Amino acid sequence: MKTPTQRLGFSVDELLPRARGGGALKMGLVSLAETEWLQPDPDLDLRNAAFDAHPESVQLTPDAHPAGAELAAMRGLQGGLEDAARSAWEDMCLLAPDEGEGLYRLIGAAVAFPTDWDPARKLGKSLISLHAPIHGYTDQLASGVDHFMAGLKPGKIFGRCNWFVSPTPALRWIAQNPPQQAFAHVTVANAGRTLFVRSERQTLRRLPETGAILFTIGVHVAPLGSLSPANIARMAKAVLTIPSAEAERRGATFFASQIKTFAAQVTKTMD
């Protein structure tokens, strides 16, 4: 029996119900149709402005050029990875197995809207190294991810989403201050306006000619208070139930109680 396609949507409110809440890490992949691959109405002026202002957003190894050209051609373009990423809302990364151990490594990245990472520092690294800051990745996800990547067939598209809480609505978010400073202004009274929920809509597909895997990252950001009551409650539960090491990495200590109380007030208002 064929599994029906499960749509992820293209907004924080649509993505959060599909995202992992608290508890252990999980891949949470769903199958996507070609028409669901990329956002249909991207703001390309915003994308191009970000790339123009930050040329370091594009990082390529020599191995990335054939795959980048293949991807550009899939988008009806000449050129390479950067041209493809400028034509869509999604940031685009290329992964390919190395000749030694067969480990998938980041061979190219065009990332206008990073979520607190620097492509230049990640280029050439394996999946485990790429995910090193994520507590539990090696033990809980690494083997499953490696198996999935090895078995991914051309023509298949899979997607997933995640969530972050940030102190800024900026699409390009690279933390400049430690969380105790970044979230110091957040109170229960202003949490709905000063906390922003950020979700990455990620997709994976194998390019048929070069065999490289394309990883896309579509960033969506919304103020906490603009979300549906169900999603506000979902965020409160998530930040309170993630493992302690992950909570520390995300800086949750400095905003979790505010979200919890804010969510309770929203629920009380709805009663």
Side-chain angles (χ1 to χ4, degrees):
M1 180 178 178
K2 186 177 180 180
T3 302
T5 297
Q6 301 183 58
R7 188 170 182 272
L8 286 178
F10 295 94
S11 71
V12 176
D13 254 335
E14 290 177 309
L15 291 168
L16 282 180
R18 296 287 189 188
R20 164 194 168 235
L25 295 175
K26 59 182 180 180
M27 292 179 67
L29 293 171
V30 297
S31 177
L32 299 175
E34 183 76 32
T35 54
E36 300 174 297
W37 177 35
L38 302 176
Q39 183 170 324
D41 55 348
D43 184 341
L44 297 185
D45 289 339
L46 197 59
R47 292 283 293 167
N48 286 316
F51 278 119
D52 290 344
H54 299 279
E56 73 280 6
S57 297
V58 180
Q59 299 288 328
L60 303 170
T61 67
D63 291 337
H65 295 293
E70 180 184 5
L71 173 59
M74 285 175 60
R75 300 287 296 155
L77 304 167
Q78 294 183 337
L81 177 60
E82 179 175 354
D83 302 282
R86 282 176 176 262
S87 76
W89 181 251
E90 288 76 7
D91 290 328
M92 298 185 176
C93 298
L94 293 169
L95 300 133
D98 60 33
E99 294 183 358
E101 301 175 88
L103 297 175
Y104 275 86
R105 297 183 180 276
L106 181 67
I107 62 171
V111 183
F113 304 143
T115 299
D116 205 20
W117 69 289
D118 180 358
R121 294 178 180 270
K122 300 291 188 179
L123 194 67
K125 291 191 174 183
S126 67
L127 288 173
I128 287 181
S129 296
L130 288 171
H131 293 92
I134 300 177
H135 175 75
Y137 176 84
T138 301
D139 297 333
Q140 299 172 26
L141 280 187
S143 61
V145 172
D146 290 345
H147 180 76
F148 170 82
M149 299 282 276
L152 183 59
K153 304 297 184 185
K156 299 291 187 179
I157 307 173
F158 292 90
R160 68 181 299 273
C161 53
N162 56 20
W163 61 264
F164 303 87
V165 176
S166 77
T168 172
L171 290 165
R172 182 181 179 83
W173 178 38
I174 299 179
Q176 301 296 318
N177 299 310
Q180 60 266 36
Q181 294 180 17
F183 295 102
H185 62 294
V186 179
T187 66
V188 172
N190 68 22
R193 305 187 305 276
T194 60
L195 290 177
F196 298 87
V197 180
R198 181 183 183 94
S199 186
E200 294 178 325
R201 183 187 191 274
Q202 304 170 349
T203 74
L204 289 155
R205 68 184 302 175
R206 188 180 297 278
L207 303 183
E209 295 178 10
T210 60
I213 289 180
L214 172 66
F215 177 58
T216 72
I217 311 164
V219 171
H220 303 273
V221 184
L224 175 67
S226 72
L227 302 180
S228 69
N231 275 333
I232 293 172
R234 184 174 281 110
M235 286 304 305
K237 180 179 179 181
V239 298
L240 291 169
T241 58
I242 53 176
S244 58
E246 182 180 357
E248 182 178 357
R249 178 178 63 84
R250 291 175 179 264
T253 301
F254 305 100
F255 57 75
S257 64
Q258 295 94 313
I259 292 182
K260 177 183 177 182
T261 305
F262 177 75
Q265 292 175 348
V266 170
T267 300
K268 184 176 181 180
T269 301
M270 297 296 295
D271 290 341

